[in-house]
Amino acid sequence: MSKPDIFISYCRQDRPAARLFAESFAEEGFTVWWDAVMRSGETFDEVIERELRAAKSVVVLWSPRSVASRWVRAEATQADRANKLVPVKIEACELPFIFELTHTADLSEWQGDRSDPSWRSLVDDLSRHVAPGKDEATPQAPEPSVEAKVELAPPASLTPEKIGGGDKKPLAANQDELAEALERIAKSQGSALLEPTPAEDAQANFFKRSDEYRESEGENLHCLRRLHAPEGETVHVVSSSGLLIGRTAPSDVIVFEPGVSREHCLVELAADKLRVMDLNSTNGTYIDNRRVGRAEILPVGSVLRVGNISFEHEVRARSEMPLGADLIELDREAEHRGSRIARS
């Protein structure tokens, strides 16, 4: 498994800034991983976790949006525990409390100029993370691989002037062929380079569902309350988008049980009732200990069982929801899969 020098953690709304940092780091000689380089068919949560653990340093881009992201906070916490966190403030914001005492590079005014003192200081810090014990007087950043540079190739319309805002040094002779190859790749891929990544799609779906959830304010909410939850009361709100229950992503509610299928069942609103649809699960879906056929109504007060996990159908006023029901983002386990969880 490759070990990138830098893993970039950011909020989806800050993707243009993340791209600028990724390309600039590559130009400094670092190998970079961020979710824009994921391949079709890859399971994004597994790949992100793997690359996060493998990276030599983790650059967290703090902004008003990322500080509210449990996803980004989780990645920052993991990096901090591994002693490889390099936080960078890209906009004026109040940092999460647990990171207040961590030195944070302020590049909120940086526009891509690699001669900027703040940028040079950040590069020096990263060099020490990537190669600890290296002579700081003569830093020699590793030459990025061709593969890394190809993955980070900007679209053809993104010129060096737009990226850096200043003069660029001419390419060395042995880089001419690489530059031509990058240009061909950028032209061939065209606008595909600007397509959202799987991780961004998952977040976008979550934000859409969160909006639906907030629009229900003042109305009664159909909920599934998990019975005998080890972490305390856990309530899942069923919005107009429905609630997919299964063992892995892209399920909304993840049930890590051997008797649960990858996509086990779908709970959705039908008029003012809940309907449960079994998705050809191996071990079946049960309502009050009776196996569901293709689709059946889940009455209020009835118990839905998936594997060994049970949920009771409740109708609650929004004012009765536990603190935390007004979700903005999700934690790493639930967040990457689009769960909507309210915890007391």
Side-chain angles (χ1 to χ4, degrees):
M1 181 177 66
S2 62
K3 292 187 176 183
D5 294 330
I6 299 171
F7 175 103
I8 298 180
S9 174
Y10 69 101
C11 185
R12 70 183 181 91
Q13 295 98 325
D14 297 327
R15 192 183 189 199
R19 178 180 291 277
L20 173 59
F21 273 84
E23 292 167 347
S24 298
F25 285 142
E27 290 176 0
E28 293 288 349
F30 297 105
T31 53
V32 182
W33 194 95
W34 65 311
D35 58 14
V37 303
M38 291 186 63
R39 303 288 194 270
S40 299
E42 290 183 319
T43 305
F44 67 89
D45 57 333
E46 295 177 358
V47 175
I48 288 175
E49 182 175 356
R50 183 189 69 211
E51 297 295 337
L52 178 65
R53 295 182 182 278
K56 299 174 185 177
S57 63
V58 177
V59 172
V60 177
L61 303 181
W62 289 124
S63 70
R65 295 158 296 281
S66 62
V67 296
S69 168
R70 294 184 184 177
W71 186 340
V72 175
R73 289 188 187 209
E75 292 173 342
T77 300
Q78 178 68 29
D80 191 38
R81 289 174 180 171
N83 197 30
K84 55 185 180 182
L85 173 64
V86 182
V88 177
K89 187 183 292 187
I90 61 173
E91 287 185 34
C93 60
E94 185 174 344
L95 299 181
F97 180 76
I98 60 173
F99 300 110
E100 283 286 354
L101 299 180
T102 303
H103 171 69
T104 302
D106 187 354
L107 274 78
S108 56
E109 302 297 328
W110 185 68
Q111 299 296 322
D113 181 5
R114 288 171 52 203
S115 65
D116 186 287
S118 298
W119 172 259
R120 299 315 314 166
S121 178
L122 174 61
V123 170
D124 291 341
D125 289 342
L126 285 167
S127 296
R128 286 191 289 271
H129 272 269
V130 170
K134 192 174 183 180
D135 182 7
E136 298 183 16
T138 56
Q140 295 180 350
E143 178 66 15
S145 64
V146 172
E147 178 182 0
K149 288 189 175 181
V150 169
E151 290 175 338
L152 293 171
S157 60
L158 195 58
T159 64
E161 289 74 16
K162 292 181 180 179
I163 295 174
D167 295 334
K168 297 293 178 179
K169 295 181 179 179
L171 293 173
N174 60 357
Q175 293 181 303
D176 290 343
E177 293 184 3
L178 174 60
E180 293 176 1
L182 292 175
E183 185 177 356
R184 288 196 301 271
I185 292 173
K187 289 181 179 179
S188 65
Q189 293 181 348
S191 59
L193 289 169
L194 300 178
E195 293 296 320
T197 66
E200 292 170 338
D201 280 335
Q203 283 186 312
N205 290 335
F206 168 72
F207 287 128
K208 177 182 177 182
R209 290 178 174 181
S210 294
D211 290 340
E212 293 170 350
Y213 174 74
R214 294 188 183 94
E215 289 170 0
S216 64
E217 185 172 2
E219 302 175 359
N220 290 332
L221 304 176
H222 287 272
C223 312
L224 295 181
R225 179 173 63 87
R226 179 170 171 174
L227 302 179
H228 313 297
E231 67 274 20
E233 183 175 30
T234 302
V235 179
H236 304 270
V237 178
V238 183
S239 73
S240 59
S241 299
L243 201 68
L244 179 62
I245 301 176
R247 182 162 43 87
T248 61
S251 298
D252 300 308
V253 180
I254 306 298
V255 179
F256 293 101
E257 288 281 328
V260 178
S261 299
R262 185 181 181 88
E263 294 184 3
H264 197 98
C265 66
L266 176 66
V267 181
E268 57 185 355
L269 292 171
D272 194 31
K273 299 179 181 180
L274 284 190
R275 178 173 57 199
V276 178
M277 180 181 298
D278 184 81
L279 302 177
N280 297 319
S281 64
T282 301
N283 296 297
T285 303
Y286 294 80
I287 296 179
D288 295 332
N289 291 323
R290 180 175 53 81
R291 186 161 183 167
V292 174
R294 176 61 179 167
E296 295 188 20
I297 295 297
L298 176 66
V300 176
S302 293
V303 174
L304 171 69
R305 178 163 58 83
V306 176
N308 294 320
I309 304 300
S310 298
F311 304 88
E312 182 178 357
H313 176 197
E314 297 181 345
V315 175
R316 298 190 182 189
R318 185 180 180 84
S319 60
E320 297 174 349
M321 295 300 295
L323 293 176
D326 220 353
L327 295 180
I328 299 175
E329 293 245 18
L330 312 158
D331 56 34
R332 183 59 186 246
E333 290 274 336
E335 204 167 275
H336 284 232
R337 299 171 175 88
S339 297
R340 297 179 297 281
I341 301 175
R343 291 191 174 96
S344 60

